[in-house]
Amino acid sequence: MDMSPDINYAKPFGFESLAAATIFAVLYVLLFIWFFGIYLQDSDYWEVFSPLSLFCAIRATAFIIRMVVIGSDSAGRHFGLLVGANVLFDGVAFPALLFPATLFVVYRLSGLDYGEHENDGSTGAIGCLTIYGVIPFAMIAATMFGAGGVPQQSSDPHAVDFENPPRKASAIILFVLTVLQACETVRLTRLTRARVLSAQDSNEAYPWTVSPETKYECYTICVISLLLLIHEAFATALAMGDTAKLLDERLWYPFIALPEILVVAFFVVVSMPKAAYDRVNNRLIAFFSWCGL
C-alpha cells in the first residue's frame, strides 16, 4: 500500500530536521539559478554547467520534498513520496556532480583549460576514457541502477527495506569512478608541480600555463576530490551496510549533503567573473602558502 493512515515513514527514511532541509533547499534553488544563468551565457562549456544545473535542480527538488514530508504528517504517510525523495538523494544525482569534476581534471591534464592552450598529450587514462564515452556510459549505467534501487516496505511496518542489488551496483560503479577521478587529480597535481618547479629553474616555456597559481588551483582540485571520496565512501557504506542506521541525519548531513554542496561551491568560484575569481583565488593561495604547500 502506498499510504497507511497510522504510519509516518519519515523517520525510517532519516527525514527529521526541517530547518536543515529548508536551508539546503534554498541554497540549491539559488545555485540552480546561478549555474543555469552561466550555462545560458557560456554555451562553450555546456558539458560542465548543464550537469551542474541538473544536479542543483535534482537536489533542490529532493530537499523540498524532504521539507514537505517532515513538515506534514499526512505527506509522511505516503510511502511513494518518500521513495521518490530517496531515489533523488541516493540514486540519480551524484553522476551529475562527478562528471563536471572529471571533466575539470581532463581539461587541466590536456592543457585545454578555458580553451587557451594546445593539447600536449598529457590527458591520461581518465581523459581517454571520457573522450571515448566509457566514463559517461558508466555514469549513465550507475544512474539507471540507482533509479531502479527502490526501497521496499518491510515486514516490520515501522521499518523500510533498503537492501537491493541495483542500489549496490550503482554505489560500486560510482565509487570506482570517484577513485579514478581522485587518482588522476593526484597525477595532475604532481605533473603541474613538477612543471612549475622546472619553469622556475630554467625559465623554459611550456604548452601549459605554468605559474604558482596553477599549482595552487590543483591543490584546490585535490580538496574537491577528497570531498567526493568522502561522499562516495559513505554512500557505498550506505548501500552495502546497515542503511537505516547510516541514514541518521547526524551522519548523513556531514558525510553526504555537506561534501556535495562544498564541491558545488567550488564550481561557483570557478564560474565567477575574473575579478571576483582572482580575489578568491588569491585568498586560497595565501592559505596554501601558510600551510607550507
Short mmCIF file of all heavy atoms in Angstrom, two decimals, residues 17-60:
data_model
loop_
_atom_site.label_atom_id
_atom_site.label_comp_id
_atom_site.label_asym_id
_atom_site.label_seq_id
_atom_site.Cartn_x
_atom_site.Cartn_y
_atom_site.Cartn_z
N SER A 17 15.08 16.71 10.37
CA SER A 17 15.31 18.12 10.61
C SER A 17 14.70 18.99 9.52
O SER A 17 15.17 19.00 8.37
CB SER A 17 16.82 18.40 10.70
OG SER A 17 17.07 19.78 10.79
N LEU A 18 13.67 19.73 9.87
CA LEU A 18 13.03 20.64 8.91
C LEU A 18 13.92 21.83 8.60
O LEU A 18 14.00 22.28 7.45
CB LEU A 18 11.68 21.12 9.48
CG LEU A 18 10.88 22.08 8.60
CD1 LEU A 18 10.54 21.44 7.26
CD2 LEU A 18 9.61 22.54 9.33
N ALA A 19 14.62 22.35 9.62
CA ALA A 19 15.48 23.52 9.41
C ALA A 19 16.60 23.21 8.42
O ALA A 19 16.87 24.01 7.50
CB ALA A 19 16.05 23.98 10.75
N ALA A 20 17.26 22.07 8.60
CA ALA A 20 18.36 21.71 7.70
C ALA A 20 17.86 21.52 6.28
O ALA A 20 18.49 21.99 5.32
CB ALA A 20 19.05 20.44 8.20
N ALA A 21 16.73 20.84 6.13
CA ALA A 21 16.17 20.62 4.79
C ALA A 21 15.81 21.94 4.12
O ALA A 21 16.05 22.12 2.92
CB ALA A 21 14.94 19.73 4.88
N THR A 22 15.28 22.88 4.89
CA THR A 22 14.90 24.19 4.34
C THR A 22 16.12 24.96 3.87
O THR A 22 16.13 25.54 2.78
CB THR A 22 14.14 25.01 5.40
OG1 THR A 22 13.00 24.27 5.84
CG2 THR A 22 13.68 26.34 4.83
N ILE A 23 17.18 24.96 4.70
CA ILE A 23 18.41 25.69 4.34
C ILE A 23 19.00 25.14 3.05
O ILE A 23 19.35 25.89 2.12
CB ILE A 23 19.44 25.60 5.48
CG1 ILE A 23 18.95 26.41 6.69
CG2 ILE A 23 20.80 26.10 5.02
CD1 ILE A 23 19.76 26.20 7.94
N PHE A 24 19.09 23.82 2.96
CA PHE A 24 19.69 23.21 1.77
C PHE A 24 18.79 23.41 0.54
O PHE A 24 19.30 23.61 -0.57
CB PHE A 24 19.96 21.73 2.00
CG PHE A 24 21.28 21.45 2.66
CD1 PHE A 24 21.41 21.52 4.03
CD2 PHE A 24 22.40 21.15 1.91
CE1 PHE A 24 22.63 21.27 4.65
CE2 PHE A 24 23.62 20.90 2.50
CZ PHE A 24 23.74 20.96 3.89
N ALA A 25 17.49 23.39 0.73
CA ALA A 25 16.58 23.62 -0.40
C ALA A 25 16.77 25.02 -0.96
O ALA A 25 16.87 25.21 -2.19
CB ALA A 25 15.13 23.41 0.04
N VAL A 26 16.84 26.01 -0.09
CA VAL A 26 17.03 27.40 -0.53
C VAL A 26 18.37 27.57 -1.23
O VAL A 26 18.47 28.19 -2.30
CB VAL A 26 16.92 28.37 0.67
CG1 VAL A 26 17.32 29.78 0.26
CG2 VAL A 26 15.50 28.37 1.23
N LEU A 27 19.43 26.99 -0.64
CA LEU A 27 20.76 27.11 -1.24
C LEU A 27 20.79 26.48 -2.63
O LEU A 27 21.37 27.06 -3.57
CB LEU A 27 21.80 26.44 -0.34
CG LEU A 27 22.15 27.15 0.96
CD1 LEU A 27 23.09 26.29 1.80
CD2 LEU A 27 22.78 28.51 0.68
N TYR A 28 20.17 25.33 -2.79
CA TYR A 28 20.22 24.66 -4.10
C TYR A 28 19.36 25.36 -5.14
O TYR A 28 19.69 25.34 -6.33
CB TYR A 28 19.83 23.19 -3.96
CG TYR A 28 21.01 22.31 -3.61
CD1 TYR A 28 21.07 21.65 -2.38
CD2 TYR A 28 22.06 22.14 -4.50
CE1 TYR A 28 22.15 20.84 -2.06
CE2 TYR A 28 23.15 21.34 -4.19
CZ TYR A 28 23.19 20.70 -2.97
OH TYR A 28 24.28 19.91 -2.66
N VAL A 29 18.27 26.00 -4.72
CA VAL A 29 17.49 26.79 -5.67
C VAL A 29 18.35 27.95 -6.19
O VAL A 29 18.39 28.23 -7.40
CB VAL A 29 16.20 27.32 -5.01
CG1 VAL A 29 15.54 28.38 -5.89
CG2 VAL A 29 15.22 26.17 -4.77
N LEU A 30 19.05 28.63 -5.27
CA LEU A 30 19.92 29.74 -5.67
C LEU A 30 21.07 29.25 -6.56
O LEU A 30 21.42 29.91 -7.55
CB LEU A 30 20.48 30.44 -4.43
CG LEU A 30 19.44 31.13 -3.53
CD1 LEU A 30 20.11 31.68 -2.28
CD2 LEU A 30 18.73 32.25 -4.29
N LEU A 31 21.63 28.10 -6.22
CA LEU A 31 22.73 27.56 -7.03
C LEU A 31 22.25 27.15 -8.41
O LEU A 31 22.97 27.33 -9.41
CB LEU A 31 23.35 26.35 -6.30
CG LEU A 31 24.18 26.69 -5.06
CD1 LEU A 31 24.47 25.43 -4.25
CD2 LEU A 31 25.48 27.37 -5.45
N PHE A 32 21.04 26.60 -8.49
CA PHE A 32 20.49 26.25 -9.80
C PHE A 32 20.34 27.50 -10.66
O PHE A 32 20.71 27.51 -11.85
CB PHE A 32 19.13 25.57 -9.65
CG PHE A 32 18.39 25.45 -10.96
CD1 PHE A 32 18.77 24.52 -11.91
CD2 PHE A 32 17.32 26.31 -11.25
CE1 PHE A 32 18.11 24.43 -13.12
CE2 PHE A 32 16.66 26.22 -12.45
CZ PHE A 32 17.04 25.27 -13.39
N ILE A 33 19.81 28.57 -10.08
CA ILE A 33 19.65 29.83 -10.82
C ILE A 33 21.01 30.32 -11.32
O ILE A 33 21.16 30.76 -12.47
CB ILE A 33 18.97 30.89 -9.95
CG1 ILE A 33 17.53 30.46 -9.64
CG2 ILE A 33 18.99 32.26 -10.63
CD1 ILE A 33 16.84 31.33 -8.62
N TRP A 34 22.04 30.23 -10.45
CA TRP A 34 23.38 30.68 -10.82
C TRP A 34 23.94 29.88 -12.01
O TRP A 34 24.36 30.46 -13.00
CB TRP A 34 24.31 30.54 -9.61
CG TRP A 34 25.75 30.83 -9.92
CD1 TRP A 34 26.71 29.92 -10.28
CD2 TRP A 34 26.41 32.11 -9.94
NE1 TRP A 34 27.92 30.53 -10.51
CE2 TRP A 34 27.76 31.87 -10.29
CE3 TRP A 34 25.99 33.40 -9.65
CZ2 TRP A 34 28.69 32.91 -10.38
CZ3 TRP A 34 26.92 34.43 -9.74
CH2 TRP A 34 28.24 34.18 -10.11
N PHE A 35 23.93 28.55 -11.89
CA PHE A 35 24.55 27.73 -12.93
C PHE A 35 23.75 27.73 -14.22
O PHE A 35 24.33 27.68 -15.31
CB PHE A 35 24.74 26.30 -12.43
CG PHE A 35 25.88 26.15 -11.46
CD1 PHE A 35 25.65 25.76 -10.15
CD2 PHE A 35 27.17 26.43 -11.85
CE1 PHE A 35 26.69 25.63 -9.26
CE2 PHE A 35 28.23 26.31 -10.96
CZ PHE A 35 27.98 25.91 -9.66
N PHE A 36 22.43 27.80 -14.11
CA PHE A 36 21.64 27.86 -15.33
C PHE A 36 21.89 29.17 -16.06
O PHE A 36 21.97 29.21 -17.29
CB PHE A 36 20.15 27.71 -15.00
CG PHE A 36 19.28 27.49 -16.22
CD1 PHE A 36 19.35 26.32 -16.94
CD2 PHE A 36 18.41 28.48 -16.65
CE1 PHE A 36 18.58 26.12 -18.07
CE2 PHE A 36 17.63 28.29 -17.78
CZ PHE A 36 17.71 27.10 -18.49
N GLY A 37 22.06 30.25 -15.30
CA GLY A 37 22.39 31.54 -15.92
C GLY A 37 23.75 31.50 -16.59
O GLY A 37 23.92 32.02 -17.70
N ILE A 38 24.74 30.87 -15.93
CA ILE A 38 26.07 30.74 -16.53
C ILE A 38 26.00 29.90 -17.80
O ILE A 38 26.63 30.20 -18.81
CB ILE A 38 27.04 30.10 -15.52
CG1 ILE A 38 27.27 31.01 -14.31
CG2 ILE A 38 28.37 29.78 -16.19
CD1 ILE A 38 27.96 32.30 -14.62
N TYR A 39 25.22 28.83 -17.74
CA TYR A 39 25.06 27.95 -18.91
C TYR A 39 24.48 28.72 -20.09
O TYR A 39 24.93 28.56 -21.23
CB TYR A 39 24.17 26.77 -18.54
CG TYR A 39 23.62 26.02 -19.72
CD1 TYR A 39 24.46 25.29 -20.56
CD2 TYR A 39 22.26 26.05 -20.02
CE1 TYR A 39 23.95 24.61 -21.66
CE2 TYR A 39 21.75 25.36 -21.11
CZ TYR A 39 22.59 24.65 -21.92
OH TYR A 39 22.09 23.99 -23.01
N LEU A 40 23.48 29.57 -19.84
CA LEU A 40 22.88 30.35 -20.92
C LEU A 40 23.85 31.36 -21.50
O LEU A 40 23.82 31.67 -22.69
CB LEU A 40 21.62 31.06 -20.41
CG LEU A 40 20.44 30.15 -20.02
CD1 LEU A 40 19.29 31.00 -19.48
CD2 LEU A 40 19.97 29.31 -21.19
N GLN A 41 24.76 31.88 -20.65
CA GLN A 41 25.70 32.90 -21.11
C GLN A 41 26.92 32.30 -21.79
O GLN A 41 27.54 32.93 -22.64
CB GLN A 41 26.17 33.75 -19.93
CG GLN A 41 25.07 34.59 -19.30
CD GLN A 41 25.54 35.31 -18.05
OE1 GLN A 41 26.73 35.40 -17.79
NE2 GLN A 41 24.60 35.82 -17.28
N ASP A 42 27.31 31.09 -21.38
CA ASP A 42 28.56 30.49 -21.86
C ASP A 42 28.29 29.08 -22.38
O ASP A 42 28.55 28.09 -21.71
CB ASP A 42 29.58 30.45 -20.71
CG ASP A 42 30.99 30.11 -21.21
OD1 ASP A 42 31.13 29.83 -22.41
OD2 ASP A 42 31.92 30.11 -20.40
N SER A 43 27.74 29.01 -23.58
CA SER A 43 27.37 27.71 -24.15
C SER A 43 28.60 26.88 -24.54
O SER A 43 28.48 25.69 -24.81
CB SER A 43 26.49 27.92 -25.39
OG SER A 43 27.17 28.69 -26.37
N ASP A 44 29.81 27.49 -24.55
CA ASP A 44 31.01 26.74 -24.89
C ASP A 44 31.31 25.66 -23.85
O ASP A 44 31.98 24.68 -24.14
CB ASP A 44 32.22 27.67 -25.00
CG ASP A 44 32.14 28.56 -26.23
OD1 ASP A 44 31.40 28.21 -27.16
OD2 ASP A 44 32.80 29.61 -26.26
N TYR A 45 30.83 25.88 -22.63
CA TYR A 45 31.11 24.94 -21.54
C TYR A 45 29.83 24.30 -21.03
O TYR A 45 29.66 24.07 -19.84
CB TYR A 45 31.87 25.65 -20.41
CG TYR A 45 33.21 26.14 -20.88
CD1 TYR A 45 33.39 27.47 -21.27
CD2 TYR A 45 34.29 25.28 -21.00
CE1 TYR A 45 34.61 27.93 -21.74
CE2 TYR A 45 35.52 25.72 -21.48
CZ TYR A 45 35.68 27.05 -21.84
OH TYR A 45 36.88 27.49 -22.31
N TRP A 46 28.92 23.99 -21.94
CA TRP A 46 27.65 23.39 -21.56
C TRP A 46 27.85 22.04 -20.89
O TRP A 46 27.07 21.65 -20.01
CB TRP A 46 26.77 23.21 -22.81
CG TRP A 46 27.33 22.25 -23.80
CD1 TRP A 46 28.16 22.53 -24.85
CD2 TRP A 46 27.12 20.83 -23.83
NE1 TRP A 46 28.49 21.39 -25.53
CE2 TRP A 46 27.86 20.32 -24.94
CE3 TRP A 46 26.38 19.95 -23.05
CZ2 TRP A 46 27.89 18.98 -25.26
CZ3 TRP A 46 26.40 18.59 -23.37
CH2 TRP A 46 27.15 18.13 -24.47
N GLU A 47 28.94 21.31 -21.27
CA GLU A 47 29.16 19.99 -20.69
C GLU A 47 29.56 20.05 -19.22
O GLU A 47 29.52 19.03 -18.53
CB GLU A 47 30.21 19.21 -21.50
CG GLU A 47 31.63 19.76 -21.40
CD GLU A 47 31.93 20.85 -22.42
OE1 GLU A 47 31.00 21.52 -22.85
OE2 GLU A 47 33.10 21.02 -22.76
N VAL A 48 29.96 21.23 -18.75
CA VAL A 48 30.26 21.43 -17.33
C VAL A 48 29.05 22.01 -16.60
O VAL A 48 28.63 21.49 -15.56
CB VAL A 48 31.48 22.34 -17.15
CG1 VAL A 48 31.68 22.69 -15.67
CG2 VAL A 48 32.74 21.68 -17.71
N PHE A 49 28.48 23.08 -17.14
CA PHE A 49 27.45 23.81 -16.40
C PHE A 49 26.05 23.19 -16.52
O PHE A 49 25.23 23.35 -15.62
CB PHE A 49 27.43 25.28 -16.85
CG PHE A 49 28.67 26.02 -16.48
CD1 PHE A 49 29.50 26.55 -17.45
CD2 PHE A 49 29.03 26.16 -15.15
CE1 PHE A 49 30.66 27.22 -17.10
CE2 PHE A 49 30.20 26.82 -14.79
CZ PHE A 49 31.00 27.36 -15.77
N SER A 50 25.78 22.47 -17.61
CA SER A 50 24.46 21.83 -17.69
C SER A 50 24.32 20.68 -16.69
O SER A 50 23.28 20.57 -16.03
CB SER A 50 24.17 21.37 -19.12
OG SER A 50 25.15 20.48 -19.60
N PRO A 51 25.35 19.81 -16.50
CA PRO A 51 25.20 18.81 -15.43
C PRO A 51 25.09 19.43 -14.04
O PRO A 51 24.35 18.94 -13.19
CB PRO A 51 26.49 17.97 -15.55
CG PRO A 51 26.95 18.17 -16.93
CD PRO A 51 26.57 19.57 -17.29
N LEU A 52 25.83 20.52 -13.81
CA LEU A 52 25.74 21.19 -12.50
C LEU A 52 24.35 21.77 -12.29
O LEU A 52 23.80 21.71 -11.18
CB LEU A 52 26.80 22.29 -12.40
CG LEU A 52 28.24 21.80 -12.18
CD1 LEU A 52 29.22 22.95 -12.34
CD2 LEU A 52 28.39 21.16 -10.81
N SER A 53 23.77 22.35 -13.34
CA SER A 53 22.40 22.86 -13.24
C SER A 53 21.43 21.72 -12.94
O SER A 53 20.53 21.87 -12.09
CB SER A 53 21.99 23.54 -14.55
OG SER A 53 22.85 24.62 -14.85
N LEU A 54 21.63 20.59 -13.61
CA LEU A 54 20.76 19.43 -13.38
C LEU A 54 20.91 18.93 -11.95
O LEU A 54 19.91 18.63 -11.27
CB LEU A 54 21.12 18.32 -14.37
CG LEU A 54 20.36 16.99 -14.20
CD1 LEU A 54 18.86 17.19 -14.40
CD2 LEU A 54 20.91 15.94 -15.17
N PHE A 55 22.16 18.84 -11.47
CA PHE A 55 22.40 18.36 -10.11
C PHE A 55 21.70 19.27 -9.09
O PHE A 55 21.03 18.78 -8.17
CB PHE A 55 23.90 18.32 -9.82
CG PHE A 55 24.22 17.95 -8.39
CD1 PHE A 55 24.20 16.63 -7.99
CD2 PHE A 55 24.53 18.92 -7.46
CE1 PHE A 55 24.49 16.28 -6.68
CE2 PHE A 55 24.82 18.59 -6.15
CZ PHE A 55 24.80 17.26 -5.76
N CYS A 56 21.84 20.57 -9.25
CA CYS A 56 21.22 21.51 -8.31
C CYS A 56 19.69 21.42 -8.37
O CYS A 56 19.01 21.52 -7.34
CB CYS A 56 21.68 22.94 -8.60
SG CYS A 56 23.43 23.22 -8.23
N ALA A 57 19.15 21.23 -9.58
CA ALA A 57 17.69 21.10 -9.71
C ALA A 57 17.19 19.85 -9.00
O ALA A 57 16.17 19.88 -8.30
CB ALA A 57 17.31 21.07 -11.19
N ILE A 58 17.92 18.73 -9.17
CA ILE A 58 17.52 17.48 -8.52
C ILE A 58 17.61 17.62 -7.00
O ILE A 58 16.70 17.22 -6.26
CB ILE A 58 18.40 16.31 -9.00
CG1 ILE A 58 18.12 16.00 -10.48
CG2 ILE A 58 18.16 15.06 -8.16
CD1 ILE A 58 19.07 14.99 -11.08
N ARG A 59 18.71 18.20 -6.53
CA ARG A 59 18.88 18.37 -5.09
C ARG A 59 17.84 19.33 -4.51
O ARG A 59 17.30 19.09 -3.42
CB ARG A 59 20.29 18.87 -4.77
CG ARG A 59 21.32 17.76 -4.72
CD ARG A 59 21.07 16.85 -3.53
NE ARG A 59 22.02 15.76 -3.45
CZ ARG A 59 21.80 14.55 -3.90
NH1 ARG A 59 20.66 14.26 -4.53
NH2 ARG A 59 22.69 13.59 -3.76
N ALA A 60 17.54 20.41 -5.21
CA ALA A 60 16.52 21.34 -4.73
C ALA A 60 15.17 20.64 -4.62
O ALA A 60 14.45 20.78 -3.61
CB ALA A 60 16.42 22.55 -5.66
#
